[in-house]
Amino acid sequence: MRKLLVSALVAASAIASPASAATTIFSEGFENVPNGSGGTIGSSGSGFTFVNSAGQWRAGPGANRGIELQWGGVGGAPAINGGRVFVELDTNGNSSMFYQLASSGVFTLDFLFSPRPNVSRLSNIVELWLDNQLLGSFTGPTSGTNPSTVWTQQSVGFTGFAGQNLIFRAAGTGDSLGGYIDNTTLTLQSAVPEPGTWMLMILGLGAVGFAMRRRQKPAVRFNFA
């Protein structure tokens, strides 16, 4: 029984111990989205288009508006770090895009955000959600409008489980003018067990404890009659 208990504790420790090495799940800068003609969107000129998917990101449910990609400085907004293409999260109204987690763990999402120039901060609000959990909200200056594109690096950490959706969505005025997203990188910092795995571990340890109680020797009784 002692061997059984030790084995169970070793297994529990192995399950509970997270992986130590960080792993990049994806890095998406929207520069290589196919245009349907053998090339990529935004490779020349300037403009915008709506797509159902852009790399790892998928258009969110609702309004059927897709993901808006802009390039070439349209709207007075140049990309950054030599890129051309980025996402505006407001197509013909508030829109969204999501990525479904394929694994469980502690993650970091790094990305660039900029409010759209010459637009009220109320139009530029972008939120990041994990299913129904708000992870962060991003917008422009507290007053007035932003005169030019100002990209800022953002980093959001969270714990998520396989099957949950990581969602960017416009949350401001639905007027086709919204905040910009670029250079999204999702990193798995450490793995964590699935909820079902934790339950199996707990049940297993409980069974070991029950078996140990069953195997305890009965107390010795003395009859002095």
Side-chain angles (χ1 to χ4, degrees):
M1 179 56 63
R2 179 176 297 175
K3 290 183 178 179
L4 179 60
L5 178 59
V6 170
S7 297
L9 290 175
V10 169
S13 176
I15 291 174
S17 299
S20 57
T23 303
T24 299
I25 304 300
F26 67 81
S27 186
E28 180 57 60
F30 310 107
E31 302 295 327
N32 298 301
V33 180
N35 61 9
S37 302
T40 57
I41 290 174
S43 57
S44 62
S46 62
F48 66 93
T49 190
F50 301 156
V51 296
N52 291 323
S53 63
Q56 300 290 330
W57 298 97
R58 301 291 179 268
N64 295 321
R65 295 174 174 130
I67 300 170
E68 181 175 348
L69 298 179
Q70 293 188 7
W71 67 92
V74 65
I80 195 171
N81 295 336
R84 289 179 54 83
V85 185
F86 53 87
V87 169
E88 181 184 27
L89 277 176
D90 195 326
T91 54
N92 294 319
N94 284 341
S95 55
S96 64
M97 63 183 186
F98 74 95
Y99 168 77
Q100 188 173 76
L101 297 179
S103 59
S104 302
V106 178
F107 297 88
T108 301
L109 180 68
D110 296 295
F111 61 96
L112 293 172
F113 168 78
S114 175
R116 178 167 175 147
N118 301 312
V119 174
S120 166
R121 67 183 303 272
L122 296 179
S123 291
N124 274 313
I125 301 172
V126 170
E127 294 178 342
L128 178 64
W129 292 76
L130 181 66
D131 282 348
N132 296 319
Q133 177 188 357
L134 179 63
L135 300 179
S137 182
F138 313 90
T139 187
T142 56
S143 63
T145 58
N146 203 42
S148 62
T149 310
V150 179
W151 293 103
T152 57
Q153 183 70 52
Q154 307 291 334
S155 184
V156 178
F158 63 94
T159 298
F161 294 96
Q164 287 188 295
N165 292 317
L166 187 62
I167 309 164
F168 275 117
R169 74 180 189 189
T173 306
D175 53 6
S176 78
L177 306 172
Y180 299 137
I181 298 293
D182 202 358
N183 292 8
T184 59
T185 299
L186 181 66
T187 304
L188 174 64
Q189 301 294 346
S190 60
V192 298
E194 301 285 349
T197 303
W198 280 111
M199 183 58 66
L200 288 175
M201 181 182 69
I202 293 171
L203 290 175
L205 290 177
V208 170
F210 179 76
M212 290 185 66
R213 293 187 61 186
R214 289 284 302 272
R215 290 182 61 122
Q216 287 179 348
K217 294 181 179 180
V220 177
R221 297 185 179 182
F222 297 93
N223 189 351
F224 294 97

